[in-house]
Amino acid sequence: MLTHPTSNSWFPLAHYHGISVMVDLPAACETLRQISLVMKEKPIDLYTLHDRLCGGETCFIMRATDAIQHIFSDLYAVPPAIRSGYFKLKVLELLLFLDSAELPQLRENRAYITRTQADTIRAIRTYLVEHLERHITLPELSAQFGIPLTNMKQNFKTVYGDTIGTYIQSYPMQKAMWLIQETDQSIAAIAGQVGYQNASKFSEVFRQISGVSPSEYRKIPRPIGAKSVLSE
């Protein structure tokens, strides 16, 4: 709530890229009431929504889902001529999503770590992606970077959202996605760069992860201002 502002917000990667939506509760409730009359739907009770998500002076944090990604990704590329009206529709879509009954199941217990711990995890991540060809055990990493094994695994998941093993398995495809959209290299050349000598096998795995073939992925417009995870 803006009545309880924070003096500083810190993100583990020292990077924030997104859109802030501020809601005037009395004005928004009246607008939603009028919309509900036209649509003949039950209005969204923003006060109840606030109490459900942020009651007791708490903050609700939720990792992005496909539905949230869909709502926000469109906002980055909307033509200026229709931006005002389009934003209003997308905010309504967002509020409808937040008001859904399934939302509490998406709540996460978030851990917080120090900047020094985050820097150590980033160094571990950099080391791993620079040595993808090596089989590096977690105990080896723990000893090399001077961090207890349990803390290393917990902190890595806090910073990157995945376990170390899952992240390293998905990283080659993340790199491939970046190369496909940011370079003119052939699909076969990109497959070789991420460790696939067989372009057909690469395309098969790529489709399993992204839902489309590499050539189809290259045709997808990239949202304005989007930033690759590879650069964070």
Side-chain angles (χ1 to χ4, degrees):
M1 297 294 290
L2 294 182
T3 51
H4 297 82
T6 57
S7 58
N8 183 49
S9 296
W10 180 75
F11 291 82
L13 299 181
H15 167 77
Y16 171 76
H17 182 80
I19 294 173
S20 296
V21 178
M22 290 173 285
V23 180
D24 182 331
L25 287 177
C29 284
E30 175 58 24
T31 298
L32 290 174
R33 185 188 68 81
Q34 296 177 19
I35 292 175
S36 68
L37 291 176
V38 175
M39 298 179 64
K40 297 181 180 181
E41 296 283 348
K42 181 181 177 181
I44 300 171
D45 187 338
L46 294 182
Y47 288 99
T48 298
L49 181 62
H50 163 265
D51 292 341
R52 183 156 62 95
L53 302 184
C54 303
E57 305 299 334
T58 61
C59 175
F60 179 82
I61 298 176
M62 183 187 72
R63 187 168 300 281
T65 64
D66 289 341
I68 286 289
Q69 295 281 28
H70 168 71
I71 293 172
F72 277 95
S73 62
D74 291 346
L75 296 179
Y76 290 100
V78 61
I82 63 171
R83 182 170 295 163
S84 177
Y86 193 81
F87 275 23
K88 293 175 183 177
L89 291 174
K90 298 301 285 188
V91 169
L92 178 59
E93 184 180 357
L94 174 63
L95 292 175
L96 286 169
F97 175 82
L98 292 175
D99 195 45
S100 67
E102 295 75 21
L103 189 63
Q105 300 176 9
L106 303 176
R107 185 185 293 270
E108 293 185 6
N109 293 321
R110 303 291 291 172
Y112 295 92
I113 62 177
T114 67
R115 181 178 292 274
T116 299
Q117 290 172 323
D119 288 343
T120 299
I121 294 302
R122 293 185 68 187
I124 290 173
R125 176 261 186 195
T126 299
Y127 180 80
L128 286 171
V129 299
E130 289 179 351
H131 299 85
L132 289 174
E133 75 285 354
R134 290 183 51 193
H135 176 67
I136 304 172
T137 67
L138 297 187
E140 287 176 4
L141 282 175
S142 174
Q144 180 171 342
F145 287 89
I147 178 174
L149 180 60
T150 299
N151 290 353
M152 181 182 72
K153 292 191 290 187
Q154 292 175 344
N155 292 349
F156 193 98
K157 186 172 177 61
T158 296
V159 173
Y160 290 106
D162 282 320
T163 64
I164 297 177
T166 299
Y167 187 93
I168 294 306
Q169 288 176 357
S170 64
Y171 181 83
M173 283 301 157
Q174 293 177 6
K175 182 176 181 180
M177 290 176 183
W178 184 84
L179 290 170
I180 288 172
Q181 287 206 325
E182 300 295 332
T183 74
D184 294 326
Q185 297 182 52
S186 69
I187 301 301
I190 292 174
Q193 284 194 50
V194 297
Y196 286 83
Q197 301 306 317
N198 186 316
S200 296
K201 180 61 177 179
F202 167 76
S203 296
E204 178 185 341
V205 176
F206 189 95
R207 180 182 288 275
Q208 291 174 355
I209 293 176
S210 68
V212 296
S213 69
S215 58
E216 290 171 332
Y217 187 80
R218 174 162 272 169
K219 298 175 183 178
I220 298 175
R222 194 163 182 237
I224 297 173
K227 190 170 183 179
S228 169
V229 295
L230 299 178
S231 62
E232 295 182 358

